[in-house]
Amino acid sequence: MKKNFLLALFLMILACSSLKAQRLPSLDSVKTLLTNMTLQIEITSGVDDLYNFKFARAESQFHWIRRAYPEHPLPYFLLGLSNWWKIAPNVNKYAYDDVFFAYMDSSIMYAEEMFDEDETNLEAPFFLAAAYAFKARLYSERSNWTKATFAGKNALKYLEYSKAHSELSPELLFGDALYNYFSVWIPENYPILKPILMFFDKGDKELGIEQLETVVKEAFYAKVEAQYFLMRIYSFEKSHMRKALGLAEYLHMKYPDNPYFHRYYARSLYSVGNFEKLAKVSQDILNKIDSGMVGYEEISGRYAGFYLGDYYRRVEHNDKLSRNYYLRAVNFSEQLKAFDSGYYLYSLSNLGKIAIELEEMDEAKIYYDKILEHAERKHPAYKSAKEFKKEYKRYQKDKSS
C-alpha cells in the first residue's frame, strides 16, 4: 500500500511539471460554490458525517446539493469523495470502484463545461485537478499505471490554472502544497528517481508544509484531506513525530468512527511508546471490528492485535493475553493474505518466543515454519526462525536420546 501511495504521487509529478496554461484565470471576482459561506454552513454536518463514516447521512446532504445545483461539479465530487473513503480502509476491496469513478467522471464533465464556457472561472480547474488526482490515486492502487499517468497528467495541467491564484481561496492552495513537498521528498527518499526529476519544476518541502498548514486553518472542502497528508508528512519527518501524533489524535477525536484515522492514531502512539493510551485505543478498534462497524476490518485488526500483543508482553508481562492478541494479528493477516507484513512476521516471531519460554517447542515450530515460508531472508524474523531451527534439532535429539 505504501509503495502504491508513493508511486501515485510520483506519477502525478512525473507526468507533467512544466505544463503552463495558455491563459490564466483573471482576478475578477466571481461567485462560486467553493467560497459560498452559506452553503458551507448548510453542509458542514454532511462533510463531518462523510469523514466519520456515516455515509448515508452525508450522501443525503450531497444529493440535496445536486438537486439544487444539478450542473455543478461540487455535488458529484463530494459523492465521489464519499465513495473514496469507503475504499480507503482497505484499498484491495473493489466494491465501490465503479460508483467512485462514475461520480468523479461526472464532476469532470460538468467542470469541463464550466471551463469551456468561461476560462476565467476559478472553480472549474480546481474540480478538474481534484477529480483527476483522486482517479490517479485509485488507478495507482489498482496498478493501472497507464490510466494513472493520464489522470495525473490532467490533474497537474489543471493545477497550473488554479495555483496561480491560490491566494483567492485556500482550497486552490492544496494541490500546490502537495507538489511542493513531494516533488522534493520523493527523490530524497528514492534516489533512483533523482535524475528524472531534476528536469522538472523545483519544489520546496518547507513551503509545501506551510501551505498545507494554511489549508488546514482556512479551507473547508480540502481541510481534512490536507490534515490527512500533513499527518503522513509529519510521520515521514522523524523530528515531527509528535506533531503527527497530535494531528492523528485530533482527527480520531473529531471522527471517532473513521477506521483509518483510528488505526493511524494507534500507530502514532506505538511510534512514540505511549503504551497506556495505545492499549485502550487498540482495544476500541477490536471492539468495533467485533461489533461489525462500517469500515472496521482486517487491516485495522492486524494493527490492533499486534499492538495489544506487544502491550501485554512488554508492559503487563502477561503472556497468556499477549498470545491471544498476537494470534488475532496473525489471523487477520492471513485473511488478508498479507504474509509479508511486519505485523504478521513479528507476531509469529513473538508467538514462537512465548512458546519456547513455555517449553512448547512443537508449537513454536509451527510459528517459525510460517516465517521461513513467507519472510525474506534478510528479515530479522527469518534470522530468528533459522536460529530456532537449529535449536529445535537439538531439542529433538535430546528428546529421542
Side-chain angles (χ1 to χ4, degrees):
M1 183 174 175
K2 181 179 179 182
K3 178 183 176 182
N4 284 349
F5 171 79
L6 295 174
L7 192 47
L9 290 166
F10 170 63
L11 282 170
M12 291 175 65
I13 291 169
L14 180 61
C16 172
S17 74
S18 58
L19 285 173
K20 302 298 179 184
Q22 297 300 311
R23 229 178 344 150
L24 290 172
S26 73
L27 292 172
D28 295 340
S29 175
V30 292
K31 292 182 179 180
T32 68
L33 293 191
L34 277 179
T35 56
N36 186 319
M37 293 297 295
T38 302
L39 179 62
Q40 289 180 12
I41 293 169
E42 287 286 338
I43 66 168
T44 294
S45 62
V47 172
D48 285 343
D49 283 335
L50 184 164
Y51 287 110
N52 204 30
F53 275 57
K54 305 297 184 269
F55 296 117
R57 291 206 306 250
E59 290 173 6
S60 68
Q61 284 265 25
F62 304 154
H63 283 298
W64 169 80
I65 303 172
R66 185 169 69 168
R67 288 191 295 273
Y69 305 97
E71 296 182 357
H72 196 283
L74 173 62
Y76 305 96
F77 178 77
L78 289 173
L79 287 161
L81 186 63
S82 180
N83 282 278
W84 163 258
W85 277 97
K86 294 174 188 177
I87 297 167
N90 186 346
V91 295
N92 293 316
K93 294 186 177 179
Y94 292 70
Y96 303 103
D97 282 27
D98 289 346
V99 68
F100 164 81
F101 284 122
Y103 278 127
M104 289 303 179
D105 285 340
S106 294
S107 184
I108 289 168
M109 179 186 71
Y110 286 115
E112 284 177 339
E113 289 179 0
M114 290 172 59
F115 199 58
D116 289 342
E117 290 175 7
D118 180 10
E119 287 193 11
T120 69
N121 185 308
L122 296 176
E123 286 189 300
F126 169 81
F127 286 109
L128 287 165
Y132 274 120
F134 270 96
K135 287 184 66 175
R137 198 167 164 188
L138 186 55
Y139 280 135
S140 69
E141 293 289 357
R142 301 293 178 249
S143 300
N144 192 331
W145 307 123
T146 300
K147 288 185 176 181
T149 302
F150 175 79
K153 178 178 180 178
N154 279 307
L156 281 169
K157 178 175 73 173
Y158 290 109
L159 175 61
E160 289 293 330
Y161 280 87
S162 63
K163 76 178 185 179
H165 298 305
S166 58
E167 74 277 4
L168 298 181
S169 170
E171 314 291 346
L172 303 179
L173 189 62
F174 180 49
D176 200 21
L178 292 182
Y179 185 92
N180 268 322
Y181 182 84
F182 283 106
S183 63
V184 178
W185 184 88
I186 289 176
E188 281 183 352
N189 289 271
Y190 293 84
I192 193 171
L193 302 178
K194 192 177 293 186
I196 301 173
L197 289 170
M198 67 183 291
F199 297 105
F200 292 72
D201 288 350
K202 187 170 177 59
D204 183 331
K205 274 174 54 177
E206 294 305 315
L207 177 59
I209 292 174
E210 289 176 13
Q211 289 172 322
L212 280 174
E213 289 171 344
T214 298
V215 176
V216 168
K217 291 174 185 175
E218 300 179 10
F220 179 76
Y221 297 104
K223 181 183 183 72
V224 180
E225 296 300 322
Q227 288 172 316
Y228 162 85
F229 276 101
L230 200 53
M231 176 179 68
R232 296 194 66 150
I233 286 169
Y234 283 152
S235 67
F236 296 156
E237 308 286 337
K238 298 305 180 186
S239 61
H240 291 326
M241 188 58 69
R242 289 285 173 182
K243 286 186 177 181
L245 173 59
L247 197 45
E249 182 175 31
Y250 169 81
L251 287 169
H252 171 59
M253 296 303 174
K254 175 82 172 169
Y255 307 110
D257 295 333
N258 182 311
Y260 187 92
F261 294 154
H262 202 164
R263 73 181 186 230
Y264 213 97
Y265 179 40
R267 176 182 172 181
S268 300
L269 288 168
Y270 187 79
S271 296
V272 301
N274 190 335
F275 277 89
E276 294 303 323
K277 277 190 177 180
L278 175 64
K280 295 176 183 177
V281 171
S282 298
Q283 188 61 62
D284 188 33
I285 291 173
L286 290 180
N287 292 343
K288 289 182 175 181
I289 292 171
D290 293 340
S291 65
M293 284 192 65
V294 173
Y296 282 84
E297 40 66 72
E298 297 89 350
I299 294 179
S300 296
R302 181 181 65 188
Y303 280 57
F306 176 80
Y307 296 150
L308 282 165
D310 257 24
Y311 170 75
Y312 282 105
R313 181 159 172 79
R314 294 166 59 179
V315 179
E316 296 292 333
H317 306 292
N318 185 330
D319 282 343
K320 182 178 180 181
L321 281 176
S322 177
R323 178 151 60 176
N324 288 342
Y325 286 114
Y326 282 134
L327 282 170
R328 291 207 72 177
V330 167
N331 290 335
F332 283 128
S333 297
E334 290 179 344
Q335 289 174 44
L336 293 164
K337 301 188 185 306
F339 301 117
D340 60 347
S341 162
Y343 294 103
Y344 180 63
L345 297 173
Y346 283 120
S347 291
L348 287 170
S349 182
N350 284 316
L351 284 166
K353 292 173 184 176
I354 292 171
I356 292 171
E357 290 165 7
L358 296 174
E359 298 182 353
E360 298 172 351
M361 297 295 284
D362 291 329
E363 183 173 344
K365 183 178 183 298
I366 295 171
Y367 304 131
Y368 284 116
D369 280 348
K370 287 186 177 182
I371 293 173
L372 292 172
E373 179 182 358
H374 297 295
E376 294 183 3
R377 291 179 178 272
K378 61 183 180 181
H379 197 284
Y382 185 90
K383 295 176 182 177
S384 298
K386 290 291 285 186
E387 291 171 4
F388 170 78
K389 194 171 182 180
K390 297 175 184 176
E391 185 178 347
Y392 187 74
K393 285 182 179 179
R394 289 193 295 269
Y395 162 76
Q396 284 186 310
K397 186 177 180 180
D398 292 342
K399 188 177 178 181
S400 61
S401 60

